[in-house]
Amino acid sequence: MKTVFVTVGTTSFNELIESITCSEAVQFYNEISSPQALKARGYERLVLQVGKGSLLPDADSCPHISLQAFRFKDSIAEDIKQADLVVSHAGAGSCLEALGAGKPLLVVVNDKLMDNHQLELAKQLHMDSHLLYCTCSTLIETLRTMDLSLLQPFLPGQPKHFANFLDKALGVQ
């Protein structure tokens, strides 16, 4: 069963959870919601890690796709391994874990954060063709038009390279 895994890490990102599920707030783009866009691409299962957010969708809250949601686990490595697509907030740890597992990654930047270093990280990884990125307001269109075949692997096992990359992306170097 083709699966999408969504993670917000240890934070709260209710807008992402709302945008990826059947919320009335996302019924635009010709009335196509995120789950319908996912279904149109052959995804049948949506697994949500919602963190500290106030939303924890029920399994039956989305009629278009099989839905499972949880707040935290000791490890999300197995969820990432089983996913055909990972949708994540732009936290460095979440990005590194998904990219290290060799999974296609769509990063949703929280554009409501002040001093948004997450956007800088997402832009740099996108420029290097390792991931796609969007905001909650462009998520549905991105799901509908994304071409995952354009993504290049992020070579694992090189923490020094990643540290240098983070320094560059965040303007520390």
Side-chain angles (χ1 to χ4, degrees):
M1 183 180 302
K2 230 173 140 182
T3 300
V4 176
F5 176 61
V6 180
T7 179
V8 302
T10 59
T11 65
S12 170
F13 194 1
N14 288 332
E15 189 179 5
L16 171 55
I17 301 304
E18 288 172 359
S19 297
I20 200 77
T21 59
C22 293
S23 170
E24 293 298 316
V26 297
Q27 298 299 319
F28 56 104
Y29 291 112
N30 299 324
E31 299 300 315
I32 295 180
S33 66
S34 295
Q36 290 166 324
L38 291 172
K39 191 77 170 168
R41 290 186 150 273
Y43 296 104
E44 300 172 2
R45 184 168 173 250
L46 182 60
V47 179
L48 307 173
Q49 182 269 317
V50 302
K52 296 177 185 174
S54 61
L55 300 175
L56 184 63
D58 295 321
D60 60 352
S61 65
C62 187
H64 306 292
I65 199 164
S66 171
L67 178 67
Q68 175 189 348
F70 62 91
R71 291 199 182 280
F72 297 105
K73 287 183 178 176
D74 289 339
S75 172
I76 58 171
E78 190 60 32
D79 296 289
I80 291 172
K81 181 181 174 185
Q82 291 179 7
D84 298 285
L85 171 66
V86 176
V87 177
S88 175
H89 75 124
S94 296
C95 290
L96 183 59
E97 190 167 4
L99 292 172
K103 294 299 178 171
L105 177 60
L106 171 58
V107 166
V108 182
V109 176
N110 187 345
D111 55 1
K112 295 186 175 35
L113 294 177
M114 304 272 295
D115 188 29
N116 200 346
H117 66 278
Q118 290 188 358
L119 177 59
E120 296 166 12
L121 176 62
K123 278 183 178 178
Q124 185 63 52
L125 286 167
H126 176 74
M127 286 189 331
D128 294 340
S129 300
H130 297 305
L131 58 77
L132 300 173
Y133 78 97
C134 64
T135 61
C136 289
S137 63
T138 60
L139 177 60
I140 294 167
E141 186 62 21
T142 303
L143 289 171
R144 289 176 57 194
T145 61
M146 66 185 178
D147 184 353
L148 300 177
S149 71
L150 300 175
L151 298 179
Q152 300 295 313
F154 187 87
L155 300 176
Q158 300 177 357
K160 177 80 172 140
H161 289 237
F162 188 72
N164 290 339
F165 169 81
L166 275 179
D167 288 345
K168 180 180 160 188
L170 300 176
V172 176
Q173 251 181 348

